[in-house]
Short mmCIF file of all heavy atoms in Angstrom, two decimals:
data_model
loop_
_atom_site.label_atom_id
_atom_site.label_comp_id
_atom_site.label_asym_id
_atom_site.label_seq_id
_atom_site.Cartn_x
_atom_site.Cartn_y
_atom_site.Cartn_z
N GLU A 14 0.80 -1.24 0.00
CA GLU A 14 0.00 0.00 0.00
C GLU A 14 0.82 1.27 0.00
O GLU A 14 0.42 2.28 -0.58
CB GLU A 14 -0.93 0.01 1.22
CG GLU A 14 -2.29 -0.57 0.93
CD GLU A 14 -3.24 -0.41 2.10
OE1 GLU A 14 -3.37 0.73 2.60
OE2 GLU A 14 -3.82 -1.42 2.52
N THR A 15 1.96 1.23 0.69
CA THR A 15 2.76 2.46 0.82
C THR A 15 3.89 2.52 -0.20
O THR A 15 4.85 3.27 -0.03
CB THR A 15 3.31 2.57 2.26
OG1 THR A 15 3.69 1.26 2.71
CG2 THR A 15 2.26 3.13 3.20
N LEU A 16 3.77 1.76 -1.28
CA LEU A 16 4.75 1.81 -2.36
C LEU A 16 4.21 2.70 -3.48
O LEU A 16 3.06 2.54 -3.90
CB LEU A 16 5.01 0.39 -2.91
CG LEU A 16 6.23 0.22 -3.81
CD1 LEU A 16 7.52 0.33 -3.00
CD2 LEU A 16 6.19 -1.11 -4.53
N ASP A 17 5.04 3.65 -3.94
CA ASP A 17 4.62 4.56 -5.01
C ASP A 17 5.06 4.08 -6.39
O ASP A 17 4.50 4.48 -7.40
CB ASP A 17 5.22 5.95 -4.78
CG ASP A 17 4.67 6.60 -3.53
OD1 ASP A 17 3.44 6.69 -3.41
OD2 ASP A 17 5.48 6.99 -2.66
N CYS A 18 6.11 3.25 -6.42
CA CYS A 18 6.69 2.88 -7.71
C CYS A 18 7.38 1.53 -7.58
O CYS A 18 8.01 1.24 -6.55
CB CYS A 18 7.72 3.95 -8.11
SG CYS A 18 8.63 3.62 -9.63
N ILE A 19 7.28 0.71 -8.62
CA ILE A 19 8.02 -0.55 -8.64
C ILE A 19 9.00 -0.53 -9.80
O ILE A 19 8.66 -0.14 -10.92
CB ILE A 19 7.07 -1.77 -8.70
CG1 ILE A 19 7.85 -3.05 -8.40
CG2 ILE A 19 6.30 -1.87 -10.02
CD1 ILE A 19 7.00 -4.21 -7.91
N SER A 20 10.24 -0.88 -9.50
CA SER A 20 11.29 -0.92 -10.50
C SER A 20 11.36 -2.31 -11.09
O SER A 20 11.41 -3.30 -10.35
CB SER A 20 12.63 -0.53 -9.85
OG SER A 20 13.52 -0.02 -10.81
N LEU A 21 11.35 -2.40 -12.41
CA LEU A 21 11.28 -3.69 -13.11
C LEU A 21 12.68 -4.09 -13.58
O LEU A 21 13.39 -3.28 -14.17
CB LEU A 21 10.33 -3.58 -14.30
CG LEU A 21 8.95 -3.00 -13.99
CD1 LEU A 21 8.16 -2.77 -15.27
CD2 LEU A 21 8.18 -3.89 -13.02
N ASP A 22 13.04 -5.34 -13.33
CA ASP A 22 14.36 -5.79 -13.76
C ASP A 22 14.35 -6.14 -15.25
O ASP A 22 13.31 -6.16 -15.91
CB ASP A 22 14.84 -6.98 -12.91
CG ASP A 22 13.96 -8.20 -13.07
OD1 ASP A 22 13.86 -8.71 -14.21
OD2 ASP A 22 13.37 -8.67 -12.08
N THR A 23 15.53 -6.41 -15.77
CA THR A 23 15.72 -6.69 -17.20
C THR A 23 14.90 -7.89 -17.67
O THR A 23 14.40 -7.91 -18.79
CB THR A 23 17.22 -6.94 -17.46
OG1 THR A 23 17.92 -5.74 -17.11
CG2 THR A 23 17.50 -7.28 -18.89
N LYS A 24 14.76 -8.90 -16.81
CA LYS A 24 14.07 -10.13 -17.21
C LYS A 24 12.55 -9.99 -17.16
O LYS A 24 11.84 -10.86 -17.65
CB LYS A 24 14.50 -11.30 -16.30
CG LYS A 24 15.94 -11.72 -16.53
CD LYS A 24 16.31 -12.88 -15.61
CE LYS A 24 17.77 -13.29 -15.82
NZ LYS A 24 18.19 -14.34 -14.88
N PHE A 25 12.07 -8.92 -16.56
CA PHE A 25 10.62 -8.75 -16.44
C PHE A 25 10.02 -8.48 -17.82
O PHE A 25 10.40 -7.54 -18.50
CB PHE A 25 10.27 -7.59 -15.49
CG PHE A 25 8.80 -7.47 -15.21
CD1 PHE A 25 8.24 -8.10 -14.11
CD2 PHE A 25 7.97 -6.74 -16.05
CE1 PHE A 25 6.88 -8.01 -13.85
CE2 PHE A 25 6.62 -6.66 -15.80
CZ PHE A 25 6.07 -7.29 -14.70
N SER A 26 9.07 -9.32 -18.24
CA SER A 26 8.46 -9.16 -19.56
C SER A 26 7.40 -8.06 -19.50
O SER A 26 6.46 -8.13 -18.70
CB SER A 26 7.81 -10.47 -20.01
OG SER A 26 7.07 -10.24 -21.18
N LEU A 27 7.55 -7.06 -20.36
CA LEU A 27 6.61 -5.93 -20.34
C LEU A 27 5.20 -6.35 -20.75
O LEU A 27 4.24 -5.61 -20.50
CB LEU A 27 7.12 -4.80 -21.25
CG LEU A 27 8.45 -4.16 -20.79
CD1 LEU A 27 8.82 -3.01 -21.69
CD2 LEU A 27 8.38 -3.70 -19.34
N SER A 28 5.06 -7.54 -21.31
CA SER A 28 3.71 -8.04 -21.63
C SER A 28 2.92 -8.36 -20.36
O SER A 28 1.71 -8.55 -20.41
CB SER A 28 3.81 -9.30 -22.51
OG SER A 28 4.49 -10.33 -21.81
N ASN A 29 3.63 -8.39 -19.21
CA ASN A 29 2.96 -8.73 -17.94
C ASN A 29 2.60 -7.52 -17.08
O ASN A 29 2.13 -7.69 -15.96
CB ASN A 29 3.85 -9.67 -17.12
CG ASN A 29 3.94 -11.05 -17.75
OD1 ASN A 29 2.97 -11.55 -18.31
ND2 ASN A 29 5.12 -11.65 -17.68
N ILE A 30 2.85 -6.30 -17.58
CA ILE A 30 2.64 -5.14 -16.68
C ILE A 30 1.18 -4.97 -16.27
O ILE A 30 0.90 -4.42 -15.21
CB ILE A 30 3.19 -3.81 -17.25
CG1 ILE A 30 2.55 -3.50 -18.59
CG2 ILE A 30 4.69 -3.80 -17.29
CD1 ILE A 30 2.76 -2.06 -19.02
N SER A 31 0.25 -5.47 -17.08
CA SER A 31 -1.17 -5.31 -16.73
C SER A 31 -1.54 -6.10 -15.47
O SER A 31 -2.55 -5.83 -14.84
CB SER A 31 -2.05 -5.76 -17.89
OG SER A 31 -1.83 -7.13 -18.16
N GLN A 32 -0.68 -7.06 -15.10
CA GLN A 32 -0.95 -7.86 -13.89
C GLN A 32 -0.50 -7.16 -12.60
O GLN A 32 -0.89 -7.54 -11.51
CB GLN A 32 -0.27 -9.22 -14.01
CG GLN A 32 -0.84 -10.05 -15.15
CD GLN A 32 -0.29 -11.46 -15.16
OE1 GLN A 32 -0.31 -12.16 -14.15
NE2 GLN A 32 0.21 -11.89 -16.30
N LEU A 33 0.33 -6.14 -12.76
CA LEU A 33 0.82 -5.41 -11.59
C LEU A 33 -0.21 -4.38 -11.15
O LEU A 33 -1.12 -4.02 -11.90
CB LEU A 33 2.14 -4.69 -11.91
CG LEU A 33 3.31 -5.57 -12.37
CD1 LEU A 33 4.53 -4.71 -12.65
CD2 LEU A 33 3.65 -6.63 -11.33
N ASN A 34 -0.06 -3.87 -9.94
CA ASN A 34 -0.91 -2.81 -9.43
C ASN A 34 -0.84 -1.61 -10.38
O ASN A 34 0.23 -1.04 -10.59
CB ASN A 34 -0.41 -2.43 -8.03
CG ASN A 34 -1.21 -1.31 -7.40
OD1 ASN A 34 -2.15 -0.78 -8.00
ND2 ASN A 34 -0.85 -0.94 -6.19
N GLN A 35 -1.98 -1.24 -10.94
CA GLN A 35 -2.00 -0.16 -11.95
C GLN A 35 -2.04 1.24 -11.33
O GLN A 35 -2.01 2.24 -12.05
CB GLN A 35 -3.21 -0.35 -12.88
CG GLN A 35 -3.15 -1.62 -13.70
CD GLN A 35 -1.94 -1.68 -14.64
OE1 GLN A 35 -1.81 -0.87 -15.54
NE2 GLN A 35 -1.04 -2.63 -14.41
N ASN A 36 -2.10 1.31 -10.01
CA ASN A 36 -2.19 2.61 -9.34
C ASN A 36 -0.83 3.17 -8.94
O ASN A 36 -0.75 4.19 -8.26
CB ASN A 36 -3.08 2.50 -8.10
CG ASN A 36 -4.50 2.15 -8.48
OD1 ASN A 36 -5.05 2.70 -9.43
ND2 ASN A 36 -5.09 1.22 -7.76
N ILE A 37 0.25 2.47 -9.35
CA ILE A 37 1.58 2.97 -9.00
C ILE A 37 2.39 3.23 -10.28
O ILE A 37 2.02 2.80 -11.37
CB ILE A 37 2.35 2.01 -8.05
CG1 ILE A 37 2.61 0.65 -8.71
CG2 ILE A 37 1.60 1.84 -6.74
CD1 ILE A 37 3.51 -0.26 -7.87
N CYS A 38 3.48 3.94 -10.09
CA CYS A 38 4.41 4.26 -11.18
C CYS A 38 5.29 3.04 -11.46
O CYS A 38 5.57 2.24 -10.56
CB CYS A 38 5.26 5.44 -10.71
SG CYS A 38 6.55 5.96 -11.86
N PHE A 39 5.71 2.89 -12.72
CA PHE A 39 6.66 1.83 -13.08
C PHE A 39 8.01 2.46 -13.44
O PHE A 39 8.05 3.55 -14.01
CB PHE A 39 6.15 1.01 -14.27
CG PHE A 39 4.85 0.30 -14.01
CD1 PHE A 39 3.85 0.26 -14.97
CD2 PHE A 39 4.61 -0.33 -12.80
CE1 PHE A 39 2.64 -0.39 -14.74
CE2 PHE A 39 3.42 -0.99 -12.55
CZ PHE A 39 2.43 -1.02 -13.53
N GLN A 40 9.07 1.77 -13.10
CA GLN A 40 10.43 2.25 -13.40
C GLN A 40 11.20 1.15 -14.13
O GLN A 40 11.14 -0.01 -13.74
CB GLN A 40 11.15 2.63 -12.11
CG GLN A 40 12.59 3.12 -12.32
CD GLN A 40 13.21 3.65 -11.04
OE1 GLN A 40 13.02 4.80 -10.71
NE2 GLN A 40 13.94 2.81 -10.31
N GLY A 41 11.94 1.51 -15.15
CA GLY A 41 12.78 0.52 -15.83
C GLY A 41 12.61 0.59 -17.33
O GLY A 41 12.07 1.55 -17.86
N ASN A 42 12.93 -0.51 -17.99
CA ASN A 42 13.69 -1.67 -17.52
C ASN A 42 14.68 -2.11 -18.61
O ASN A 42 14.84 -3.29 -18.90
CB ASN A 42 12.76 -2.82 -17.12
CG ASN A 42 12.09 -3.50 -18.32
OD1 ASN A 42 11.86 -2.88 -19.36
ND2 ASN A 42 11.78 -4.77 -18.18
N LEU A 43 15.37 -1.14 -19.22
CA LEU A 43 16.30 -1.44 -20.31
C LEU A 43 17.44 -2.34 -19.83
O LEU A 43 18.00 -2.10 -18.76
CB LEU A 43 16.88 -0.15 -20.88
CG LEU A 43 17.81 -0.33 -22.08
CD1 LEU A 43 17.02 -0.58 -23.35
CD2 LEU A 43 18.72 0.86 -22.26
N ASP A 44 17.78 -3.33 -20.63
CA ASP A 44 18.89 -4.23 -20.31
C ASP A 44 20.22 -3.45 -20.38
O ASP A 44 20.52 -2.83 -21.41
CB ASP A 44 18.91 -5.37 -21.34
CG ASP A 44 19.89 -6.48 -20.97
OD1 ASP A 44 20.87 -6.21 -20.26
OD2 ASP A 44 19.67 -7.62 -21.43
N PRO A 45 21.01 -3.46 -19.30
CA PRO A 45 22.31 -2.76 -19.33
C PRO A 45 23.22 -3.24 -20.47
O PRO A 45 24.06 -2.48 -20.95
CB PRO A 45 22.93 -3.09 -17.97
CG PRO A 45 21.78 -3.44 -17.09
CD PRO A 45 20.75 -4.06 -17.98
N LEU A 46 23.04 -4.48 -20.90
CA LEU A 46 23.85 -5.00 -22.03
C LEU A 46 23.49 -4.32 -23.34
O LEU A 46 24.34 -4.11 -24.21
CB LEU A 46 23.67 -6.51 -22.16
CG LEU A 46 24.42 -7.36 -21.12
CD1 LEU A 46 23.96 -8.81 -21.19
CD2 LEU A 46 25.94 -7.27 -21.32
N ILE A 47 22.21 -3.95 -23.50
CA ILE A 47 21.79 -3.22 -24.70
C ILE A 47 22.36 -1.80 -24.68
O ILE A 47 22.80 -1.28 -25.70
CB ILE A 47 20.25 -3.21 -24.83
CG1 ILE A 47 19.76 -4.64 -25.15
CG2 ILE A 47 19.76 -2.24 -25.90
CD1 ILE A 47 18.26 -4.82 -25.22
N LEU A 48 22.40 -1.20 -23.49
CA LEU A 48 23.04 0.11 -23.35
C LEU A 48 24.53 0.01 -23.65
O LEU A 48 25.10 0.88 -24.32
CB LEU A 48 22.82 0.65 -21.93
CG LEU A 48 23.45 2.01 -21.60
CD1 LEU A 48 22.96 3.11 -22.55
CD2 LEU A 48 23.18 2.40 -20.15
N LEU A 49 25.15 -1.04 -23.21
CA LEU A 49 26.57 -1.29 -23.48
C LEU A 49 26.83 -1.41 -24.98
O LEU A 49 27.79 -0.86 -25.52
CB LEU A 49 27.02 -2.57 -22.77
CG LEU A 49 28.49 -2.97 -22.90
CD1 LEU A 49 29.40 -2.06 -22.09
CD2 LEU A 49 28.69 -4.42 -22.46
N GLY A 50 25.92 -2.11 -25.66
CA GLY A 50 26.09 -2.34 -27.10
C GLY A 50 25.84 -1.11 -27.96
O GLY A 50 26.50 -0.91 -28.99
N GLY A 51 24.88 -0.29 -27.55
CA GLY A 51 24.59 0.94 -28.29
C GLY A 51 23.92 0.68 -29.63
O GLY A 51 23.30 -0.36 -29.85
N GLY A 52 24.06 1.65 -30.54
CA GLY A 52 23.56 1.50 -31.91
C GLY A 52 22.04 1.53 -32.02
O GLY A 52 21.33 2.00 -31.13
N GLU A 53 21.55 0.99 -33.14
CA GLU A 53 20.12 1.01 -33.44
C GLU A 53 19.31 0.18 -32.45
O GLU A 53 18.17 0.52 -32.13
CB GLU A 53 19.87 0.51 -34.87
CG GLU A 53 20.21 1.54 -35.94
CD GLU A 53 19.55 2.90 -35.73
OE1 GLU A 53 18.30 2.94 -35.64
OE2 GLU A 53 20.28 3.91 -35.63
N GLU A 54 19.90 -0.92 -31.99
CA GLU A 54 19.18 -1.78 -31.04
C GLU A 54 18.82 -0.99 -29.78
O GLU A 54 17.73 -1.14 -29.22
CB GLU A 54 20.02 -3.02 -30.67
CG GLU A 54 19.21 -4.03 -29.88
CD GLU A 54 20.02 -5.19 -29.30
OE1 GLU A 54 21.26 -5.20 -29.44
OE2 GLU A 54 19.40 -6.08 -28.69
N LEU A 55 19.73 -0.14 -29.34
CA LEU A 55 19.50 0.68 -28.15
C LEU A 55 18.32 1.62 -28.39
O LEU A 55 17.40 1.70 -27.56
CB LEU A 55 20.76 1.48 -27.81
CG LEU A 55 20.65 2.52 -26.69
CD1 LEU A 55 20.23 1.88 -25.38
CD2 LEU A 55 21.98 3.26 -26.52
N LYS A 56 18.33 2.33 -29.51
CA LYS A 56 17.24 3.27 -29.81
C LYS A 56 15.90 2.55 -29.95
O LYS A 56 14.88 3.01 -29.44
CB LYS A 56 17.55 4.04 -31.10
CG LYS A 56 18.71 5.03 -30.97
CD LYS A 56 18.95 5.71 -32.30
CE LYS A 56 20.23 6.53 -32.28
NZ LYS A 56 20.57 7.05 -33.61
N ASN A 57 15.92 1.41 -30.63
CA ASN A 57 14.68 0.66 -30.85
C ASN A 57 14.08 0.14 -29.54
O ASN A 57 12.88 0.21 -29.31
CB ASN A 57 14.92 -0.52 -31.80
CG ASN A 57 15.25 -0.06 -33.21
OD1 ASN A 57 14.96 1.08 -33.57
ND2 ASN A 57 15.87 -0.92 -34.00
N LYS A 58 14.96 -0.37 -28.68
CA LYS A 58 14.49 -0.91 -27.39
C LYS A 58 13.95 0.22 -26.51
O LYS A 58 12.92 0.06 -25.82
CB LYS A 58 15.61 -1.65 -26.68
CG LYS A 58 15.16 -2.47 -25.48
CD LYS A 58 14.20 -3.59 -25.89
CE LYS A 58 13.61 -4.28 -24.66
NZ LYS A 58 12.63 -5.29 -25.02
N ALA A 59 14.62 1.37 -26.54
CA ALA A 59 14.15 2.53 -25.76
C ALA A 59 12.75 2.93 -26.23
O ALA A 59 11.85 3.18 -25.42
CB ALA A 59 15.12 3.70 -25.91
N MET A 60 12.55 2.95 -27.56
CA MET A 60 11.24 3.31 -28.12
C MET A 60 10.16 2.30 -27.70
O MET A 60 9.04 2.67 -27.36
CB MET A 60 11.30 3.35 -29.65
CG MET A 60 11.91 4.59 -30.22
SD MET A 60 11.02 6.07 -29.67
CE MET A 60 12.30 6.91 -28.77
N GLU A 61 10.54 1.03 -27.71
CA GLU A 61 9.60 -0.02 -27.32
C GLU A 61 9.14 0.17 -25.87
O GLU A 61 7.95 0.07 -25.55
CB GLU A 61 10.30 -1.38 -27.47
CG GLU A 61 9.41 -2.59 -27.28
CD GLU A 61 10.23 -3.88 -27.28
OE1 GLU A 61 11.10 -4.05 -28.17
OE2 GLU A 61 10.02 -4.70 -26.37
#
């Protein structure tokens, strides 16, 4: 009840967010390896 935001790890599938409490903020969840790699994959994943 007293949580305002849940941070999602890299393995958390975004297709499951509807199952979480919808009254709080979500934080995350780009894979640090994609950030490490850079390039188009990074931009595409950020957009997703």
Side-chain angles (χ1 to χ4, degrees):
E14 267 187 51
T15 39
L16 194 71
D17 295 306
C18 176
I19 193 158
S20 204
L21 309 173
D22 64 60
T23 298
K24 291 180 181 176
F25 187 92
S26 171
L27 296 183
S28 61
N29 290 324
I30 58 165
S31 62
Q32 296 187 51
L33 301 180
N34 179 359
Q35 296 298 297
N36 296 317
I37 63 173
C38 177
F39 299 138
Q40 179 173 275
N42 72 331
L43 183 78
D44 189 334
L46 284 169
I47 291 176
L48 179 58
L49 181 73
E53 284 307 304
E54 190 189 3
L55 173 59
K56 291 179 189 173
N57 292 341
K58 191 64 188 176
M60 281 302 118
E61 188 187 314

